[in-house]
Amino acid sequence: MLHSIIGAITGENDRKKIRGTIVLMKKNVLDFNDLSASVLDRVHELVGQGVSLQLVSAVHADPSNGLQGKVGKPAHLEDWITTITPLTAGESAFKVTFDYDEEIGEPGAFIIRNNHHSEFYLRTLTLEDVPGHGRIHFVCNSWVYPADKYDTDRVFFTNQTCLPSETPGPLRGYRERELVNLRGDGTGELTEWDRVYDYAYYNDLGNPDRDPKYARPVLGGSVEYPYPRRGRTSRPPSETDPNTEGRLPLLMSLNIYVPRDERFGHIKMSDFLAYALKALVQFLLPEFEALCDSTPNEFDSFQDVFDLYEGFKVPDGPLLDKIKENIPLEMLKELVRTDGEGLFKFPTPQVIKEDKSAWRTDKEFAREMLAGLNPVLIRLLQEFPPESKLDPEVYGNQKSSITKEHIGNHLDGLTINKALEKKRLFILDHHDTLMPYLRRINTTSTKTYASRTVLFLKDDGTLKPLAIELSLPHPDGDKFGAVSKVYTPAEHGVEGSIWQLAKAYAAVNDSGHHQLLSHWLNTHAVIEPFVIATNRQLSVLHPINKLLYPHFRDTMNINALARQILINAGGVVESTVYPSKYAMEMSSVVYKNWVFTEQALPADLINRGMAEKDSDAPHGLRLVLDDYPYAVDGLEIWSAIETWVEDYCSFYYKTDEMVEKDSELQSWWKELREEGHGDKKDEPWWPKMHTVKELIDTCTIIIWVASALHAAVNFGQYPYAGFLPNRPTISRRFMPEEGTPEYEELKSNPEKAFLKTITAQLQTLLGISLIEILSRHSSDEVYLGQRDTPEWTLDATPLKAFEKFGRKLADIEENIIKRNGDERFRNRVGPVNMPYTLLYPTSEGGLTGKGIPNSVSI
């Protein structure tokens, strides 16, 4: 109102105006205890002189400003608009009115200054009726802190997409300077309002100041321990080891530095997950410890485990009170579903929902290698007996001891050679990964084996296990080879119990491989350098930044939290997964064999012998095993992503020369190889980034890993492993030998002996609490084929191609439902009656066992 009166007196109202709408969210809307507070009470302070905006010309340069775009007069936020729709919870819309200046012409950017004491989240600015240009839209999606926190002005660009060479001259300096700001200068401690993306080694996992036993090697930057880089946090070194970064206290875990725009989202559920992780470690762990101390630390029967899903009483006491005091009520209900009577209850995992014992069958054990939590490891067996790739000079003879006598009579009348020739033999091989570490791992509380599981493809398309080999290092030294024992299927008596234990040891190895390698290393860790390099080298105007941006959401934040709480020395992973303190070190040794181009699903399947090139087959590949749900669904998703990326990139890059001459793209790719994955910089397999095809292949791999691959190995954690006997993570004693008390117990009480061997009660409670959180979708999740900003580009052709991608994904959903209902495909549902839906693209929030989020967001 005041603006109107002043305008009438000064004659300002007679000039041409450009009216705009700005959508933002105040910081305190996110405060956990402030959700019910009226947004209206808190927006008034933004109106007035508090927030100023200036338009920047895309067409007229200012000689007095180094020929950068001419800058218009400041305008300020006006009345809060109550009518605008659709606004999500917590968002506010304001009017803003700019004086039209012909010397500005078409605005290509705007400068914003926040003169208040607190930050806000700026979503969009829309200008209506710009003379000669109509509507102009700016997508911002960024936190804007008070101006005194920044050395340079905050600048936002229109939703135009352009290569560096196509940038309007007046905007080039702004584009380049914004990237310089995001790179930082590599020095100084980073604070929450900093927007710096930089690299560091994994030198923050150990905590030698707490105790020397928590020292851990630095991962990355050495031949011995290569690793992808993480985001730099810039904390000072620890007191006892200058090479190890100091750690934040547990209570401060949520304050670990990541650039503010990478922090968990704008809706309560995302923050909720972070709080839940913290609450789990800080409050539930001691409570569970107390619970387990008041009873022996063992489950006595499977019924004890089933009771976790039917409700179990927690003794009253100060620890339970502490939980109630420290965790907000709605979160407590969600986390531990207490009914106020101290009754804890976990949701029933899908794997035991329909049938409580089907998980124990050989058929289900084998099916989960194709349609379970870790369907990325099984491979075609191409020689018999299986060979080892370990150096015989160091490890002696590591060849498998499985013989013709073990399996020859179970091949449906085929000889071993014929079965190999017909591609009917498969292997789940955990031998070479584990053997170099096994002697050290077995000095901890873990007692386990390296394992090889050989399987046969039956005529009905299902697999049956033929033999499991369990191996230990030779007691006289590594160079004497392995000491191995082979177990074959049995159903009854003590032999049946021993076979169940052999499967459990193989499952323990697969659980560790899944959590540390398939999940953490091959999705979370390898993607983070791409997030950092993209923000440092590709402008928000760049087409490849716009293509990849949704696939990086929340990744730096969840990885930072993981380093603080999950994968750190003494953290949840070391406590609940068998390699214990060697877990991350082992993942570093496996990274030595990581090849970027082999992360493409077709290349991975060919590499494992699970598919062959065939130009007549769908997607150019013929699967060796037709009913391989992960591969069948995955190839449809892969192909849809590849088509979308090809449609998109081909619009902006008409020739290979345009790729080669794109300065930002070439800087991005160079930095990614030389810095982000710097320990791999000399590898010959990196794409050269000289052709449009190399760009398409690269972006397809990045999107596949961040979305579908992560979904396939993450969101089944609770459905399959929430019942821990199905996917035990630790083994605590070796196979019982005849003549020992353990063997007698195995004969007399096989359930108790089984449960005494696998994950203990405390680790089970901690483990399933964790994977329940990690298997949930937040309510504001954005899935593959969706965007949270509809007007993310001005260009109509890419927008149409994206709609086509969405329709293709909807078709794939229908295909998945059809296949799951087709009784010919026995591996899709299995004895546990659990359809394979991990690559079903969309989902609702919560624990669903389906849905492919765009990014590694949890």
Side-chain angles (χ1 to χ4, degrees), residues 184-469:
D185 61 7
T187 64
E189 190 158 349
L190 296 166
T191 50
E192 69 169 273
W193 49 82
D194 281 312
R195 304 167 58 233
V196 171
Y197 293 79
D198 204 354
Y199 302 99
Y201 301 138
Y202 277 72
N203 64 348
D204 62 342
L205 302 178
N207 192 355
D209 290 353
R210 180 178 168 196
D211 190 298
K213 72 179 183 183
Y214 293 113
R216 295 290 180 271
V218 173
L219 304 184
S222 67
V223 174
E224 188 179 8
Y225 298 122
Y227 221 61
R229 303 297 184 257
R230 64 171 177 90
R232 181 170 83 91
T233 42
S234 77
R235 296 193 301 271
S238 65
E239 289 173 19
T240 46
D241 177 8
N243 294 320
T244 296
E245 188 169 278
R247 289 188 58 78
L248 285 176
L250 188 65
L251 280 167
M252 302 286 287
S253 291
L254 297 184
N255 298 346
I256 189 166
Y257 174 79
V258 289
R260 186 66 175 92
D261 291 345
E262 300 301 326
R263 279 188 169 263
F264 275 160
H266 338 306
I267 292 198
K268 139 180 154 180
M269 185 62 188
S270 288
D271 270 9
F272 192 97
L273 288 165
Y275 279 97
L277 277 172
K278 182 170 138 181
L280 168 75
V281 176
Q282 195 182 328
F283 302 117
L284 296 192
L285 178 55
E287 179 58 36
F288 287 155
E289 278 175 342
L291 173 66
C292 296
D293 287 347
S294 62
T295 64
N297 193 17
E298 299 292 349
F299 294 113
D300 294 326
S301 67
F302 288 132
Q303 188 54 49
D304 282 357
V305 187
F306 293 132
D307 287 346
L308 297 179
Y309 317 106
E310 283 148 26
F312 59 100
K313 191 87 168 76
V314 177
D316 279 328
L319 280 168
L320 186 62
D321 295 339
K322 188 178 170 192
I323 288 185
K324 287 178 180 167
E325 283 163 28
N326 284 287
I327 305 180
L329 181 63
E330 69 270 34
M331 189 192 304
L332 188 68
K333 280 183 192 153
E334 187 66 24
L335 254 183
V336 295
R337 275 158 298 279
T338 174
D339 59 358
E341 301 297 315
L343 196 70
F344 280 65
K345 185 180 176 186
F346 291 97
T348 303
Q350 270 174 283
V351 77
I352 54 166
K353 218 168 216 168
E354 301 291 325
D355 185 324
K356 284 187 174 178
S357 61
W359 65 274
R360 302 193 74 177
T361 61
D362 288 0
K363 194 176 271 187
E364 180 60 23
F365 172 69
R367 182 190 82 93
E368 288 186 22
M369 299 175 200
L370 303 171
L373 194 47
N374 195 29
V376 295
L377 196 65
I378 187 171
R379 62 181 173 85
L380 184 70
L381 187 59
Q382 293 174 323
E383 77 283 306
F384 189 85
E387 295 281 352
S388 166
K389 290 194 174 80
L390 293 175
D391 183 352
E393 295 283 312
V394 180
Y395 295 104
N397 177 16
Q398 294 286 338
K399 196 171 188 174
S400 174
S401 59
I402 300 174
T403 64
K404 179 183 170 185
E405 284 67 37
H406 291 121
I407 68 168
N409 295 330
H410 304 282
L411 303 176
D412 292 4
L414 298 177
T415 63
I416 288 177
N417 283 341
K418 205 71 185 162
L420 286 170
E421 190 187 311
K422 285 181 163 288
K423 298 183 168 35
R424 300 282 290 271
L425 288 174
F426 295 83
I427 185 168
L428 188 71
D429 194 340
H430 292 292
H431 184 93
D432 286 4
T433 306
L434 204 50
M435 188 53 84
Y437 273 88
L438 197 49
R439 200 182 294 278
R440 281 174 284 173
I441 288 170
N442 283 339
T443 64
T444 69
S445 57
T446 294
K447 300 290 175 270
T448 196
Y449 303 90
S451 65
R452 291 180 174 113
T453 305
V454 174
L455 307 106
F456 177 71
L457 176 60
K458 293 162 59 179
D459 290 336
D460 67 2
T462 62
L463 292 173
K464 71 172 178 185
L466 299 174
I468 295 173
E469 177 188 48

Side-chain angles (χ1 to χ4, degrees), residues 101-231:
D101 181 345
E102 285 182 4
E103 289 189 22
I104 296 288
E106 181 188 357
F110 71 90
I111 293 167
I112 187 164
R113 286 191 188 88
N114 172 7
N115 298 314
H116 285 288
H117 66 274
S118 62
E119 70 273 23
F120 54 80
Y121 186 79
L122 181 60
R123 193 175 273 292
T124 57
L125 167 66
T126 308
L127 304 179
E128 306 293 348
D129 301 324
V130 177
H133 302 285
R135 182 176 179 278
I136 294 180
H137 188 66
F138 299 79
V139 175
C140 307
N141 288 338
S142 184
W143 286 96
V144 178
Y145 274 76
D148 61 6
K149 302 291 189 201
Y150 298 123
D151 294 331
T152 55
D153 287 330
R154 293 299 310 274
V155 176
F156 293 95
F157 299 93
T158 64
N159 61 342
Q160 185 181 1
T161 305
C162 55
L163 299 176
S165 59
E166 299 163 349
T167 313
L171 296 180
R172 267 184 204 165
Y174 290 102
R175 177 174 182 152
E176 287 160 13
R177 193 163 66 243
E178 177 69 357
L179 286 172
V180 169
N181 291 339
L182 290 168
R183 287 179 210 133
D185 61 7
T187 64
E189 190 158 349
L190 296 166
T191 50
E192 69 169 273
W193 49 82
D194 281 312
R195 304 167 58 233
V196 171
Y197 293 79
D198 204 354
Y199 302 99
Y201 301 138
Y202 277 72
N203 64 348
D204 62 342
L205 302 178
N207 192 355
D209 290 353
R210 180 178 168 196
D211 190 298
K213 72 179 183 183
Y214 293 113
R216 295 290 180 271
V218 173
L219 304 184
S222 67
V223 174
E224 188 179 8
Y225 298 122
Y227 221 61
R229 303 297 184 257
R230 64 171 177 90

